[in-house]
Amino acid sequence: MTVPTRPAAETAPAETAPAAPRRRLHVITWGCQMNVYDSTRMGDVLAPLGYGPAASLEDADMVILNTCHIREHATEKLFSELGRLRRLKDARRAGGGRMLLAVAGCVAQAEGAEILRRAPYVDIVLGPQTYHRLPEMIAEAEQAGRAVIATDFPPESKFDHLPEAALPAGGVTAFLAIQEGCDKFCSFCVVPYTRGVEASRPAAAVLAEARALVARGAREITLLGQNVNAWHGAAPAGGEWTLARLLYALAEIPGLTRLRYTTSHPRDMDDDLIAAHGALPALMPFLHLPVQSGSDRILAAMNRRHDAAAYLGIVERLRRARPDIALSSDFIVGHPGETAADFAATLALVREVGFAQAYSFKYSPRPGTPAASAADQVPEPEKEARLAALQDLLAAQQHAFNQSQVGRRLPVLITGRGRHAGQIAGRSPYLQAVHLAAPETLIGREITVTIVAAGPRSLAGAWPAEDEEHAAA
Ligand code: SAH
Ligand code: SF4
Ligand code: F3S
């Protein structure tokens, strides 16, 4: 999701509880935005039990490790982190206290039993579909004094059992999960196994959560799903809506200035959704649309169910609908069977599209997926060389894209304080970070900023933008 996987963030849960919580919670989040969202929701589920954010890890009464299974060494990374947490837990016990330790997320789903075998001091293991049951699991772990595991795919949806979305005071941007799971079974990917089959939340639930987020200060909402554009939820008045229809409804919520959705699959980019990009000013002109490879042979081996021409066709139609749209993608180099010619086709596709931003990975075998047992694995040095070449090209494109903003006036949604005193920070329509000197009273507003400089990952802006200054004079 999401942009899947990238930012490995250590996040504290949303500040939903009063200043001095009775019990202190610390959540460590790895993986995609869906995991970031899930971590917030676990905080929401625990708030009625008196849990609020801990000042630090050492201070916590409960630590949740929300894990990701997509990269190599995910399991080893988990066990080394658990070793560190075990020492904290032992120290707490030596002082007469108690620290509950829970492992959640996709590694928990895939390797729950192994976790309890290798780390018997873990109190709770729960998959991504069961976190609405956390209160019962905590009670059970505390009373029985033994580990509790919940990695089934329960018949009830966790979304029906969650408290209303909470948002840290003043949070200007928010995630909203609308879809979960995946039925696509790409050759390399663990997600269909860890997140289960595709499920869409009903439109009414999504709209209600969006309104609640806006009431708490959100101005930009990113709809989340492992395959978000495959969303087809129950419509409020019967029947079903597509993602395009849902976006039109969301765009009508007063105060909701910006909409995004991630991560999409090219196969589900239908005409209505493409048209929505032209019709809805709130829908930001930036789309993360992973292509993985530019070679038709490898796309087939990956079971992506589209070819390079189909992807280029979608990009062309998107650009016709919304000429200023910028694109982002995910790439895998060194999938089993990838030859030098296949890799050259990936570089050619990148040159043809021109990406504003992208994520690229070396193929890494994930146990249980079809590609992991393929005979024609690509040697490691070859993968490394291809990744370096691809990343050079993508970095140059990103740099050029950022540079092309210099001198432009962009609407920037101000999200918070900047790194330095007197600075505030925000987001451009293209998800670039923008820093500028301006008053903090602008936080939460979308303002017009003149871009004065561009770095590899962020932009510097000036406010008021030039002609607004003239207008004021
Ligand atoms: N649903 C999204 C992707 C989710 S996983 C989609 O269909 O595009 C996020 C990204 O991780 C993928 O797009 C892929 O580029 C990368 N990835 C997944 N499994 C991988 C593996 N085994 N090796 C390397 N990269 C992988
Ligand atoms: Fe994984 Fe493919 Fe599903 Fe994306 S579409 S989550 S890459 S199986
Ligand atoms: Fe997300 Fe990682 Fe799971 S990318 S869906 S947390 S395997």
Side-chain angles (χ1 to χ4, degrees), residues 266-337:
R267 280 285 300 231
D268 298 311
M269 241 16 251
D270 64 31
D271 289 340
D272 289 347
L273 187 53
I274 292 175
H277 279 273
L280 290 174
L283 191 53
M284 289 293 98
F286 179 82
L287 183 66
H288 183 67
L289 189 62
V291 64
Q292 314 296 356
S293 168
S295 152
D296 290 345
R297 228 173 52 81
I298 295 301
L299 285 168
M302 286 177 164
N303 192 31
R304 294 290 290 181
R305 293 181 268 181
H306 66 82
D307 57 14
Y311 186 86
L312 294 170
I314 293 166
V315 171
E316 194 191 314
R317 283 185 288 143
L318 278 164
R319 285 182 170 151
R320 232 182 288 140
R322 180 87 205 228
D324 61 341
I325 200 161
L327 289 149
S328 156
S329 184
D330 289 345
F331 295 91
I332 295 178
V333 299
H335 182 275

Side-chain angles (χ1 to χ4, degrees), residues 109-148:
Q109 185 64 45
E111 313 207 31
E114 176 71 0
I115 292 168
L116 289 184
R117 196 183 63 75
R118 279 180 63 183
Y121 48 89
V122 167
D123 301 291
I124 296 171
V125 174
L126 70 157
Q129 308 309 334
T130 47
Y131 59 72
H132 56 293
R133 297 187 187 157
L134 255 174
E136 313 151 37
M137 288 187 252
I138 291 178
E140 203 180 323
E142 280 179 337
Q143 278 156 25
R146 59 173 168 75
V148 178

Side-chain angles (χ1 to χ4, degrees), residues 1 4-6 70-71 188-189 191 226 263-265 290 292 304 330-332 361-364 366:
M1 174 194 345
T5 50
R6 319 3 117 158
I70 211 132
R71 302 278 159 251
F188 49 83
C189 184
V191 170
Q226 268 85 32
T263 295
S264 295
H265 193 288
Q292 314 296 356
R304 294 290 290 181
D330 289 345
F331 295 91
I332 295 178
F361 311 96
K362 272 188 301 190
Y363 168 72
S364 94
R366 311 308 299 129

Side-chain angles (χ1 to χ4, degrees), residues 211-429:
R211 283 191 204 99
L213 289 165
V214 173
R216 290 175 170 86
R219 293 292 165 264
E220 174 177 307
I221 290 182
T222 303
L223 306 177
L224 290 182
Q226 268 85 32
N227 246 302
V228 73
N229 59 342
W231 182 89
H232 54 100
E240 242 180 33
W241 276 2
T242 59
L243 179 60
R245 182 66 190 83
L246 179 68
L247 287 165
Y248 283 97
L250 285 163
E252 280 173 19
I253 296 177
L256 182 49
T257 322
R258 292 181 164 197
L259 285 167
R260 305 178 185 276
Y261 60 93
T262 198
T263 295
S264 295
H265 193 288
R267 280 285 300 231
D268 298 311
M269 241 16 251
D270 64 31
D271 289 340
D272 289 347
L273 187 53
I274 292 175
H277 279 273
L280 290 174
L283 191 53
M284 289 293 98
F286 179 82
L287 183 66
H288 183 67
L289 189 62
V291 64
Q292 314 296 356
S293 168
S295 152
D296 290 345
R297 228 173 52 81
I298 295 301
L299 285 168
M302 286 177 164
N303 192 31
R304 294 290 290 181
R305 293 181 268 181
H306 66 82
D307 57 14
Y311 186 86
L312 294 170
I314 293 166
V315 171
E316 194 191 314
R317 283 185 288 143
L318 278 164
R319 285 182 170 151
R320 232 182 288 140
R322 180 87 205 228
D324 61 341
I325 200 161
L327 289 149
S328 156
S329 184
D330 289 345
F331 295 91
I332 295 178
V333 299
H335 182 275
E338 188 188 75
T339 63
D342 294 318
F343 177 63
T346 297
L347 294 178
L349 179 138
V350 172
R351 284 195 197 94
E352 183 152 355
V353 174
F355 289 96
Q357 195 256 338
Y359 300 96
S360 45
F361 311 96
K362 272 188 301 190
Y363 168 72
S364 94
R366 311 308 299 129
T369 59
S373 51
D376 43 359
Q377 300 289 329
V378 175
E380 197 58 26
E382 193 57 50
K383 285 194 223 172
E384 269 160 29
R386 289 179 195 172
L387 184 66
L390 176 61
Q391 291 190 335
D392 281 351
L393 176 58
L394 291 168
Q397 291 192 343
Q398 180 167 4
H399 186 70
F401 180 74
N402 287 350
Q403 284 296 330
S404 73
Q405 308 300 320
V406 175
R408 287 188 64 191
R409 298 167 65 248
L410 288 183
V412 173
L413 178 66
I414 304 300
T415 50
R417 293 198 192 107
R419 264 168 288 172
H420 307 292
Q423 261 197 356
I424 55 174
R427 280 181 180 180
S428 79

Side-chain angles (χ1 to χ4, degrees), residues 118-196:
R118 279 180 63 183
Y121 48 89
V122 167
D123 301 291
I124 296 171
V125 174
L126 70 157
Q129 308 309 334
T130 47
Y131 59 72
H132 56 293
R133 297 187 187 157
L134 255 174
E136 313 151 37
M137 288 187 252
I138 291 178
E140 203 180 323
E142 280 179 337
Q143 278 156 25
R146 59 173 168 75
V148 178
I149 181 163
T151 51
D152 50 338
F153 290 101
E156 82 276 13
S157 161
K158 65 184 174 196
F159 292 119
D160 298 337
H161 294 80
L162 293 174
E164 233 188 39
L167 190 73
V172 177
T173 60
F175 290 131
L176 200 176
I178 64 166
Q179 181 279 338
E180 189 163 17
C182 181
D183 299 343
K184 296 263 187 316
F185 291 91
C186 299
S187 62
F188 49 83
C189 184
V190 289
V191 170
Y193 311 95
T194 61
R195 292 275 170 171

